[in-house]
Amino acid sequence: MDGNYALTEYLGAFIDEMVASGVKHAVISPGSRSTPLALLMAEHPTLKTWINIDERSAGFFALGIAKSTQSPVALLCTSGTAAANYFPAIVEATYSRVPLIVLTADRPHELREVGAPQAINQIDMYGSYSKWFVEMAIPENTPALLNYAKTVAARAVATSDSAPAGVVHLNFPLREPLVPNFNHVTWSKGDSVKKVITNKEEKISASVIELLQEVNQYEKGIIVCGPQDQEGFPKAVTELAEVLGYPILADPLSQLRSGKHAKENVVECYDAILKCSAAFEALKPDVVIRLGAMPVSKVLTQLISASEARYHLVVDENLGFRDPTLKATHFLHYDEVVFCKEAATHVIAKRKAKQYLQQWIKANEIARPILQSHVSDFHFEGDVVRRLTSTMKPHMCLFIGNSMPIRDVDSFYFLDEKNIRILANRGANGIDGIISTALGASIEGKRLVLLVGDITFYHDLNGLLASKLHNLPITIVVVNNNGGGIFSFLPQAKEEKHFELLFGTPMDLDFEKVVNMYGGRFKRVQSWSEYEDQLLESYEANQLTVIEVPTASRDENVKLHRNLWNEVTKELQNLF
């Protein structure tokens, strides 16, 4: 049979099985060698395809979709450097445990290493950042090869989505002709031919229950919840905290600061509290129970490192060992929700003193109103967060850029019941691809606000095209301090001779022209009332809206932050 038919049936079988196994979205970067895969994806009746021209942006856009939907997303490009441009998003997906299935088209074997155009070595090119790599067979439509294509597709979906979720890379060597014959492809009705069933433990062992009973003898325990986005987690962990009588130190990405769950034991101002040396010493725990990735707060990590805790439990379903403090005494590989529910059910609550818990709660009550107090100066970056979160409506989504925005959200996002979902790229903690990731996360329809600094915004300006191409309305708040604000908080800020050149990096760019080019609305605000009005207006607009907040000089911003922290420290002196 004609090779074109073989190509069609082979790739059609692969795509159909991939969709039947659970892939609902595919992000495609245009190219020639990937033509048959792209056309067959677009032709599939139930697969939603998204075009993103810039491969780096496309990789992060797919990451955002997978992060938001919590399901694998396919990512397709042509041969050559196109595949290399996916690398930053692949690194982030690996470290943040997001399922991606990367499909790279390639030259056939006879055109490799002979000077053919757009031919580079794509064999296992992502190395250890890929959970599984397959050099696919040259397309044939024999029963054995069609069965092979379906088997790889089903296994790829299952592998990418199994704990720990991550990246699968499939490399497709394809010979011309590259245009498929649609008369020779048959789509199934959604039933997977290859079943992959994963067994998940729904009970904790008797030895773990015994361990928790030992842990429960100690009064001075903390539950540290880092980035975690799992249905049912807030309710489960707060119920466990009630049984143990421990405070929960809740990172903003833990989803514990916003929602209807109980919050009596939830402490959100720990970063400011622990900057008080007396509090830091007094609050060193005997027990640490960690769930989720490492928290944003550096001083909280320092507390964990400095504490000689008798028990330090890291709960992680993904067979991971996320413990940069190197202080963990036990790694418990359970689903976090299952662990919390089981522990709350089986561990017998002890009548022990709760002085330690009350110290945390009282300190939080002292710190919160200070951190909530408005600074008179319009340009304070902390107020950008406080006023943003106060205007957000229930069930919206807040996506946060790295560097200063995530740290300001950690300091200035306070407990509420709005059920705001908070997302960020905290796997590798980079500033690249943030706009694209946020736009990918916005496809489910809930209004999304992206908070970024000016350097992060600049880094992914190409990502704005996805908003225009796919009609994805989004509000982007750009905190513009004309440079890298976070470096002003670091020791190198004292090296004044070279600081601005190497770290401050002022750009003096007018972003309005770029936003207009992508069909968005741009507003540079000059007061807090104007800022809040523009936010509320943007939530109702069916278009990209970029609100730029010009802030104080970077040095002045550091002073404003430290003034608040010093005030918290002053008020805590009497408590410790």
Side-chain angles (χ1 to χ4, degrees):
M1 187 176 286
D2 189 283
N4 195 245
Y5 296 157
L7 176 98
T8 302
E9 293 179 9
Y10 174 86
L11 296 181
F14 171 85
I15 291 168
D16 197 45
E17 186 65 26
M18 184 180 70
V19 174
S21 297
V23 173
K24 299 178 181 178
H25 299 273
V27 178
I28 301 171
S29 305
S32 177
R33 188 61 51 169
S34 55
T35 292
L37 282 160
L39 286 173
L40 287 165
M41 283 180 169
E43 186 73 10
H44 196 282
T46 62
L47 182 64
K48 172 65 177 177
T49 55
W50 305 84
I51 303 303
N52 201 307
I53 297 168
D54 181 320
E55 283 86 7
R56 189 177 80 157
S57 176
F60 282 103
F61 187 75
L63 176 82
I65 296 175
K67 186 185 288 281
S68 180
T69 61
Q70 297 183 334
S71 61
V73 172
L75 180 61
L76 172 67
C77 72
T78 190
S79 63
T81 57
N85 281 300
Y86 283 161
F87 217 127
I90 285 168
V91 170
E92 176 61 30
T94 298
Y95 284 119
S96 57
R97 299 177 176 180
V98 174
L100 287 183
I101 302 171
V102 182
L103 314 176
T104 54
D106 200 354
R107 291 298 197 258
H109 302 81
E110 66 270 17
L111 292 181
R112 297 177 185 175
E113 306 296 336
V114 295
Q118 281 188 263
I120 67 172
N121 183 4
Q122 297 176 199
I123 303 301
D124 204 13
M125 68 182 298
Y126 305 123
S128 62
Y129 293 104
S130 173
K131 291 179 68 178
W132 187 42
F133 168 75
V134 178
E135 165 80 338
M136 296 293 289
I138 294 287
E140 294 181 18
N141 60 345
T142 63
L145 264 291
L146 294 178
N147 204 30
Y148 161 80
K150 293 175 183 178
T151 299
V152 172
R155 183 177 171 186
V157 176
T159 301
S160 71
D161 203 28
S162 63
V167 177
V168 167
H169 175 205
L170 308 180
N171 194 56
F172 286 80
L174 301 173
R175 293 191 177 109
E176 297 181 359
L178 296 170
V179 177
N181 186 323
F182 293 127
N183 293 324
H184 284 263
V185 62
T186 302
W187 305 120
S188 69
K189 296 182 179 179
D191 296 324
S192 175
V193 175
K194 307 290 183 179
K195 307 292 185 184
V196 181
I197 300 173
T198 303
N199 180 35
K200 284 195 174 182
E201 218 34 74
E202 294 296 331
K203 301 285 184 181
I204 59 176
S205 68
S207 62
V208 171
I209 295 172
E210 183 178 339
L211 170 65
L212 290 170
Q213 293 290 18
E214 294 175 19
V215 165
N216 199 25
Q217 305 296 321
Y218 292 82
E219 175 199 352
K220 297 179 68 173
I222 58 174
I223 299 175
V224 178
C225 293
Q228 178 77 4
D229 187 17
Q230 185 180 11
E231 186 177 354
F233 178 69
K235 183 175 185 293
V237 73
T238 51
E239 289 177 354
L240 175 60
E242 182 63 28
V243 169
L244 295 175
Y246 290 168
I248 299 174
L249 310 188
D251 184 277
L253 298 171
S254 68
Q255 315 307 325
L256 280 161
R257 296 197 190 181
S258 186
K260 299 293 185 181
H261 53 275
K263 302 182 188 67
E264 290 80 2
N265 289 18
V266 178
V267 174
E268 80 270 44
C269 300
Y270 50 81
D271 186 79
I273 293 168
L274 293 174
K275 285 181 169 65
C276 169
S277 59
F280 187 96
E281 290 301 318
L283 294 173
K284 287 181 179 177
D286 294 323
V287 173
V288 177
I289 301 175
R290 269 197 41 237
L291 301 108
M294 283 301 294
V296 170
S297 171
K298 182 177 181 179
V299 70
L300 176 53
T301 299
Q302 291 171 337
L303 176 76
I304 296 171
S305 296
S307 301
E308 297 299 327
R310 175 67 182 83
Y311 293 97
H312 182 161
L313 281 53
V314 176
V315 183
D316 189 346
E317 75 154 333
N318 294 312
L319 301 180
F321 293 85
R322 296 186 289 194
D323 177 34
T325 69
L326 304 178
K327 289 297 188 79
T329 60
H330 297 77
F331 291 93
L332 307 180
H333 292 141
Y334 290 95
D335 176 278
E336 289 85 350
V337 172
V338 169
F339 173 85
C340 291
K341 286 182 175 179
E342 283 282 292
T345 300
H346 292 293
V347 174
I348 301 172
K350 300 290 183 182
R351 288 192 175 182
K352 56 191 176 192
K354 293 189 177 182
Q355 180 180 355
Y356 181 74
L357 171 62
Q358 293 306 317
Q359 280 184 307
W360 272 108
I361 292 174
K362 181 62 177 177
N364 203 52
E365 291 172 349
I366 291 171
R368 186 188 295 124
I370 296 171
L371 297 173
Q372 286 177 325
S373 61
H374 292 301
V375 176
S376 58
D377 190 340
F378 161 62
H379 300 291
F380 176 49
E381 293 181 14
D383 258 340
V384 176
V385 174
R386 294 186 298 204
R387 293 174 185 272
L388 166 60
T389 55
S390 70
T391 66
M392 291 184 70
K393 299 177 181 180
H395 305 291
M396 290 178 66
C397 182
L398 174 61
F399 203 102
I400 315 163
N402 287 315
S403 262
M404 278 310 297
I406 187 65
R407 288 164 175 82
D408 277 336
V409 170
D410 191 20
S411 294
F412 300 108
Y413 190 106
F414 307 102
L415 303 181
D416 65 40
E417 297 197 349
K418 294 182 179 180
N419 201 26
I420 303 293
R421 188 181 185 190
I422 306 180
L423 301 175
N425 283 350
R426 292 300 292 175
N429 302 351
I431 65 169
D432 46 349
I434 299 295
I435 293 174
S436 299
T437 311
L439 282 164
S442 76
I443 69 160
E444 292 194 287
K446 291 183 179 179
R447 187 69 193 201
L448 186 143
V449 180
L450 170 61
L451 175 67
V452 291
D454 54 300
I455 299 289
T456 299
F457 187 67
Y458 162 77
H459 248 269
D460 195 23
L461 288 175
N462 281 4
L464 293 172
L465 181 62
S467 176
K468 179 181 179 181
L469 287 181
H470 303 299
N471 189 30
L472 296 172
I474 185 176
T475 300
I476 302 178
V477 175
V478 179
V479 181
N480 194 342
N481 53 31
N482 198 25
I486 193 170
F487 294 108
S488 297
F489 287 82
L490 301 178
Q492 54 263 51
K494 296 178 182 178
E495 302 297 327
E496 296 182 7
K497 181 178 179 181
H498 301 294
F499 180 78
E500 278 298 286
L501 173 65
L502 297 178
F503 304 103
T505 59
M507 297 184 296
D508 298 306
L509 293 177
D510 182 358
F511 292 125
E512 182 172 9
K513 298 177 176 62
V514 177
V515 175
N516 290 338
M517 181 176 75
Y518 287 112
R521 185 172 70 90
F522 178 90
K523 183 66 180 180
R524 184 178 296 110
V525 298
Q526 301 297 333
S527 69
W528 289 128
S529 60
E530 185 182 19
Y531 173 55
E532 292 173 348
D533 288 344
Q534 287 297 320
L535 284 170
L536 292 171
E537 185 177 337
S538 75
Y539 302 157
E540 305 301 324
N542 189 33
Q543 68 175 133
L544 163 70
T545 302
V546 176
I547 301 171
E548 182 185 285
V549 185
T551 61
S553 71
R554 285 177 257 119
D555 289 343
E556 181 63 20
N557 184 54
V558 172
K559 291 178 184 177
L560 292 171
H561 278 81
R562 287 179 176 160
N563 287 344
L564 283 178
W565 294 333
N566 290 338
E567 191 174 343
V568 170
T569 294
K570 179 181 177 182
E571 293 300 317
L572 289 177
Q573 296 293 345
N574 294 330
L575 184 62
F576 298 101

